[in-house]
Amino acid sequence: MTRLFWRAAALACVAIPTMAFAQPIGEAKILSGQAVIETDSGYVFVTGPERQMGTLLRMPEADDVVQYEEEWAKQLARVQKKYPSKLASWESKKAAAEQTKAKVPDRPIEPTAENFSIEPIEARNAVTFGYTSIYNKSATPRSFSYLTKMKPGRYVYHGPLWTGPEGSMGTCYCMGSVAFDVKPGVITNIGNFFAVAASAGQSAAAAVDMAAVNYDLPASLQALPHVQAEFHASGKFDNFFRGTVGRMPAVAGVLAYDRDKVIDAKTGQMAAGMMAANAPPRTAADAVTTTDAGKAGEEEVTEQVSTQP
Amino acid sequence: MKYILLAGALCAFPMSAGAQAIKAPEPARQFTEAEVAALERPDTRFDETPEIALGYDKYFYFHRADTDFSTAFHDISECDALSSGSNFYGGGDAGMTSYYAMQYGVAGAAGGALGSLFADAVFGSAERRKIRRNNVRQCMEYKGYSRYGMERERWQAFHFEEGLGRVKDEKRTGFLMKQALVASGPKPETKELLP
């Protein structure tokens, strides 16, 4: 177990550079002007009555897929190059084991295009926010808020789960969730929606109390460009981080369920999922809305930034 | 208009390379009547005692009316995959991802499968077994299956527990098939438990 732990630790260190870029921002940095709303970055604001954590998965776009395939091919070539020496080493160990009547180790699996996998493309663009990295907090009313800078795109709410190189913990909304666009140059305001959703529990009949959802922003953000998140139903995805299995409670007008079928309440049809194997990646054509919104945000931000020291 | 543009762009997208890196999900397996008939039905009858009933949080099985064997097998397999962090909806193979990460030190393979190792090292196998049980239970609740308690030895005849290791695929599939047989079979006569 100890050997497994340290091997995993070493691999995790290698993995850190592949984790999606995300940066928590504190209120002091906004107030002092050290942090500004950049026109090519997205920002997500989340609040709630208690500290919280959550993970967002950016849906793969066409260039992500190209990059992923290139890396997969490179890694496959690498392990295929290593295979002959692995096999020779195993044959040597096998011979030694047979002589001493010890257990023969498993023969190494030959890497092929059919059996070789690297981490899921959907999991590599994960952004985790919370728990201690707050934007601000207040005692009355009690609130803890989070502002996170991230790459623009469409994000699926993975659920109230923490993931990082040290491990993962929390709930995966693998069996149904919501997606929303994070547009460049503006703050996408989630309000306390995630916190209200979490308080609804995980029973099959659970529903988000939309009357309890608010999108109040701290005074320090009110003058900055912001939009309220528009939620869309999002279908099932794998439990990438081995969290507790769950789903986003039903959301009136957005997300419904027929047993475990995830229904887009806007259309009455089954919701599209985020898995790249089922749904082709978003493309430049799909990013038109994002770019337009970014231009609008850029103008507003320029105006705001001009007042910053 | 946006979706017309999207559809056009998707047609132009080179999916052939992605067919290997991003693998298609396994199609739902359809069993013939002969295949189902060849399975040995697990014995689910037992006399309940207060002591046995205390174990129902651990030892339980599922049933849903008007459900055929292939559907039940697909449902149970989906819940098993979600509960163990395996791939189900396509993209890759979580088991092979872990294999290549650990055996070959592939940096690109160090993802979710790896992340849980740290929590496992801290909380241990018992906690992982408990999480798996609860996960299967939650998933099957969403699917509308009812839960019934069972005596430990009979339960062990067609179930497995999974902690830090992974039950081998052949053994796993055999157990899941037996669970599907019970889930799609006659309605249990014992008391239905809370989900």
Side-chain angles (χ1 to χ4, degrees):
Chain A
M1 186 64 217
T2 305
R3 194 174 61 173
L4 182 69
F5 181 89
W6 287 113
R7 194 182 283 190
L11 277 168
C13 293
V14 177
I16 288 170
T18 71
M19 292 176 68
F21 166 79
Q23 182 185 324
I25 299 174
E27 188 174 41
K29 288 200 169 177
I30 290 286
L31 291 172
S32 68
Q34 286 181 54
V36 295
I37 301 300
E38 296 167 6
T39 54
D40 58 352
S41 293
Y43 300 83
V44 169
F45 177 80
V46 176
T47 191
E50 304 295 339
R51 289 183 189 272
Q52 61 181 301
M53 58 190 180
T55 293
L56 305 170
L57 304 176
R58 186 170 60 78
M59 289 178 72
E61 295 177 2
D63 57 343
D64 294 315
V65 175
V66 170
Q67 190 182 1
Y68 181 78
E69 288 169 352
E70 284 173 359
E71 188 174 332
W72 175 85
K74 189 174 149 192
Q75 297 289 7
L76 174 60
R78 191 176 148 216
V79 297
Q80 283 178 327
K81 192 177 173 187
K82 278 186 177 182
Y83 177 69
S85 65
K86 281 262 176 197
L87 186 62
S89 170
W90 171 78
E91 281 168 346
S92 163
K93 285 176 185 167
K94 179 174 171 264
E98 283 170 349
Q99 280 187 349
T100 58
K101 294 188 178 174
K103 189 185 172 196
V104 177
D106 290 339
R107 182 189 172 100
I109 297 170
E110 183 173 0
T112 65
E114 286 70 36
N115 71 24
F116 182 70
S117 292
I118 59 174
E119 66 177 335
I121 186 171
E122 297 85 359
R124 58 172 39 198
N125 294 322
V127 171
T128 293
F129 65 85
Y131 181 76
T132 55
S133 302
I134 59 169
Y135 176 74
N136 75 0
K137 60 182 178 180
S138 75
T140 313
R142 183 177 167 83
S143 82
F144 296 86
S145 57
Y146 302 87
L147 181 66
T148 310
K149 178 182 176 183
M150 60 189 72
K151 187 173 177 179
R154 176 163 287 196
Y155 284 80
V156 172
Y157 184 41
H158 180 289
L161 176 140
W162 179 271
T163 186
E166 71 282 4
S168 308
M169 189 176 290
T171 301
C172 170
Y173 285 169
C174 323
M175 298 189 73
S177 189
V178 292
F180 56 95
D181 287 330
V182 174
K183 296 172 180 173
V186 295
I187 297 166
T188 301
N189 185 4
I190 304 292
N192 66 350
F193 177 77
F194 290 162
V196 174
S199 68
Q202 285 293 297
S203 75
V208 178
D209 178 7
M210 293 306 285
V213 175
N214 74 67
Y215 294 91
D216 298 341
L217 280 175
S220 55
L221 296 180
Q222 286 173 7
L224 299 178
H226 57 272
V227 292
Q228 186 177 311
E230 184 184 347
F231 296 112
H232 308 273
S234 185
K236 296 175 184 175
F237 52 89
D238 285 326
N239 189 1
F240 303 116
F241 307 109
R242 294 189 74 185
T244 303
V245 171
R247 71 187 187 191
M248 164 71 75
V251 182
V254 175
L255 174 67
Y257 296 99
D258 175 8
R259 283 189 172 161
D260 65 316
K261 290 189 178 67
V262 186
I263 307 294
D264 181 342
K266 292 172 184 167
T267 63
Q269 304 297 310
M270 274 186 70
M274 73 158 305
M275 298 295 290
N278 304 321
R282 289 158 59 83
T283 66
D286 201 39
V288 169
T289 311
T290 310
T291 308
D292 289 347
K295 283 176 184 167
E298 185 177 333
E299 289 166 12
E300 288 181 56
V301 171
T302 305
E303 194 179 321
Q304 297 299 328
V305 168
S306 64
T307 63
Q308 303 283 354
Chain B
M1 183 60 190
K2 176 180 163 187
Y3 293 102
I4 294 171
L5 287 171
L6 173 62
L10 293 179
C11 290
F13 187 75
M15 292 300 289
S16 56
Q20 290 183 322
I22 301 172
K23 296 172 173 63
E26 291 285 328
R29 190 171 164 186
Q30 292 299 316
F31 292 85
T32 63
E33 285 184 15
E35 283 176 312
V36 178
L39 292 172
E40 187 185 343
R41 184 172 295 277
D43 179 11
T44 56
R45 292 166 302 174
F46 66 98
D47 294 323
E48 183 179 278
T49 65
E51 190 184 7
I52 289 173
L54 284 176
Y56 287 168
D57 271 352
K58 278 174 112 175
Y59 309 115
F60 51 81
Y61 66 101
F62 299 98
H63 179 270
R64 191 174 74 183
D66 305 322
T67 302
D68 63 80
F69 177 83
S70 295
T71 303
F73 180 76
H74 184 76
D75 285 340
I76 287 172
S77 299
E78 182 179 0
C79 291
D80 173 60
L82 283 173
S83 301
S84 60
S86 303
N87 163 266
F88 189 80
Y89 306 116
D93 182 319
M96 295 309 288
T97 303
S98 294
Y99 175 82
Y100 285 114
M102 302 308 284
Q103 297 299 322
Y104 287 83
V106 176
L114 178 66
S116 62
L117 290 177
F118 290 87
D120 290 345
V122 175
F123 297 111
S125 185
E127 183 66 13
R128 181 55 64 188
R129 289 196 298 273
K130 183 180 167 188
I131 291 171
R132 185 184 177 280
R133 277 197 301 273
N134 291 341
N135 280 347
V136 170
R137 192 168 153 179
Q138 179 73 76
C139 177
M140 293 296 275
E141 180 196 348
Y142 290 153
K143 288 174 173 290
Y145 285 81
S146 300
R147 190 172 70 93
Y148 298 87
M150 180 166 274
E151 182 268 330
R152 182 168 171 261
E153 281 186 19
R154 283 174 175 73
W155 182 90
Q156 285 175 330
F158 65 112
H159 290 86
F160 59 90
E161 291 223 76
E162 194 168 70
L164 300 183
R166 179 170 170 82
V167 173
K168 289 191 173 169
D169 285 349
E170 193 178 337
K171 184 180 175 187
R172 184 179 214 98
T173 302
F175 278 140
L176 297 182
M177 286 171 75
K178 287 188 174 181
Q179 290 167 32
L181 193 62
V182 172
S184 59
K187 186 177 189 301
E189 293 174 359
T190 52
K191 184 177 65 178
E192 185 179 327
L193 303 174
L194 289 172

